[in-house]
Amino acid sequence: MRLHARAAVAAVLLLAACVGSAPKEVAPDGRPLPDAYVIGPGDVSRVTYSMVDSINSVRAKNGLAPLTLNAQLTAAAATHSRDMSVQNRPWHFGSDGSSPILRVQRTGYAGRMLGENISETYENEIETLTAWMQVKGTRAVIVDPAARDVGFSWYQEPSGKLWWTLVTGG
């Protein structure tokens, strides 16, 4: 009897191993959709400083001064990230017609807005920075020698999609 019980348990375990998980959803290009990078309320400082520290590492390697995180630029970035989600498109104009310059002025930032990088993705902040560094225009915002301040924020939809915004000023 013990032999039969062991055989039955082994058969159940073998069958359980054969049952695969549901196939992953695929994007229009046929590649599997990525797993969502979920940012919880307790992750805000970690994600923010991960980005700022990584930007400053890039800038140091290029002989540039570090950027200082600025609350007003971050407010402009947060406003735009949420607005891009509402519009469901990554672009530099707000649903009210605002430009990046106007959004920065609205926050009371005393300096001059220099650049804005945006992204719609499921990638984390470091993957997003890496993608920005691979494109001439977005890389120029990050390594602009005139930049002294940075604002960085995001909005994450329930689906996991992230709308990232980075704003530089000087």
Side-chain angles (χ1 to χ4, degrees), residues 5-52:
R6 286 184 188 163
V9 169
V12 168
L13 291 174
L14 183 61
L15 286 173
C18 292
V19 176
S21 60
K24 284 193 94 167
E25 281 190 67
V26 295
D29 64 4
R31 296 185 347 189
L33 287 174
D35 292 329
Y37 173 64
V38 178
I39 302 172
D43 297 327
V44 172
S45 291
R46 179 190 57 78
V47 171
T48 300
Y49 286 102
S50 171
M51 177 61 91
V52 173

Side-chain angles (χ1 to χ4, degrees), residues 11-134:
V12 168
L13 291 174
L14 183 61
L15 286 173
C18 292
V19 176
S21 60
K24 284 193 94 167
E25 281 190 67
V26 295
D29 64 4
R31 296 185 347 189
L33 287 174
D35 292 329
Y37 173 64
V38 178
I39 302 172
D43 297 327
V44 172
S45 291
R46 179 190 57 78
V47 171
T48 300
Y49 286 102
S50 171
M51 177 61 91
V52 173
D53 291 346
S54 296
I55 287 170
N56 285 335
S57 291
V58 167
R59 289 179 61 85
K61 288 178 185 170
N62 285 278
L64 299 168
L67 299 181
T68 301
L69 186 63
N70 179 277
Q72 288 131 334
L73 294 179
T74 296
T79 297
H80 192 55
S81 291
R82 186 170 195 86
D83 191 46
M84 285 189 296
S85 172
V86 169
Q87 296 181 72
N88 196 33
R89 64 177 168 180
W91 76 322
H92 294 281
F93 294 94
S95 57
D96 63 354
S98 62
S99 68
I101 293 170
L102 182 55
R103 286 190 299 275
V104 167
Q105 288 173 345
R106 287 175 179 167
T107 68
Y109 179 68
R112 185 169 60 103
M113 184 271 186
L114 296 174
E116 179 181 75
N117 287 349
I118 59 174
S119 181
E120 168 196 16
T121 185
Y122 289 88
E123 297 175 333
N124 67 35
E125 68 280 2
I126 301 306
E127 292 166 322
T128 300
L129 176 60
T130 300
W132 285 338
M133 290 303 294
Q134 293 171 0

